[in-house]
Amino acid sequence: SRPETRPPARARFAHLDDSDQLFRLTRAFSTTRGITVDDDVRARALELVLSVPAVGRVVVTEERGGLSGYAMVAWAFDLRVGGRTTWLTELYVVPEWRGAGRASAMLALAKKVAGDAGAKTLHGLATEPDREAQRLYRHLGAEPDARRVFTWKL
């Protein structure tokens, strides 16, 4: 059930102290999307992104001491946009806080840090069947890109 009164959404950057809660949220994100990530790999990746801002940033929202969502932003470079760009690789809000501005707040901070760092674009990833993410991205002002993402495992 959703809380009757919802405080305004406030986003902040995650830090190492958030690791345990973030681990659980990233696992919930992966589970709901049928993505398999080894727990040791997940823990090491979270430690890296939380410790090395040059890799990316994690933006979170928090309610009464517990995280209610996270957005994972990774840095990249693209000649098409003339330099640095960013990828929103994951965006997750716990079900009871959806529709309460948490995604909007996290995206606003993600866009600000990306722009301040010289990025020209922020790309949001969503799988083809994930219509909910596609609707959210459009609602938040993103436009579909004509390119498709292909992945090589290294």
Side-chain angles (χ1 to χ4, degrees):
S1 72
R2 293 190 171 174
E4 289 183 23
T5 58
R6 294 174 177 225
R10 288 195 175 88
R12 65 169 174 83
F13 294 113
H15 41 76
L16 281 171
D17 292 346
D18 296 315
S19 293
D20 290 342
Q21 290 183 68
L22 270 172
F23 184 91
R24 289 189 293 276
L25 289 180
T26 60
R27 184 187 277 160
F29 171 86
S30 296
T31 299
T32 61
R33 283 157 179 79
I35 300 167
T36 302
V37 179
D38 178 82
D39 283 348
D40 290 335
V41 170
R42 181 187 315 276
R44 284 193 306 272
L46 280 172
E47 182 178 355
L48 178 64
V49 74
L50 293 173
S51 302
V52 184
V55 171
R57 298 300 300 263
V58 181
V59 177
V60 296
T61 52
E62 187 171 23
E63 320 300 331
R64 294 183 297 275
L67 299 183
S68 58
Y70 77 96
M72 188 81 58
V73 179
W75 301 111
F77 188 88
D78 189 344
L79 289 175
R80 286 178 7 131
V81 300
R84 196 173 211 183
T85 186
T86 48
W87 288 87
L88 179 66
T89 60
E90 297 182 16
L91 176 64
Y92 180 77
V93 177
V94 296
E96 57 268 24
W97 285 98
R98 291 180 186 163
R102 273 51 191 167
S104 295
M106 289 186 290
L107 183 63
L109 183 53
K111 286 168 59 176
K112 180 176 181 351
V113 73
D116 288 352
K120 309 293 186 205
T121 55
L122 173 63
H123 304 283
L125 292 175
T127 59
E128 186 57 38
D130 192 349
R131 301 288 184 212
E132 182 181 9
Q134 292 175 40
R135 278 191 301 274
L136 176 64
Y137 290 169
R138 283 186 174 102
H139 174 75
L140 296 175
E143 296 178 14
D145 190 313
R147 298 180 293 175
R148 291 192 63 150
V149 175
F150 293 84
T151 303
W152 286 269
K153 293 187 179 185
L154 306 175

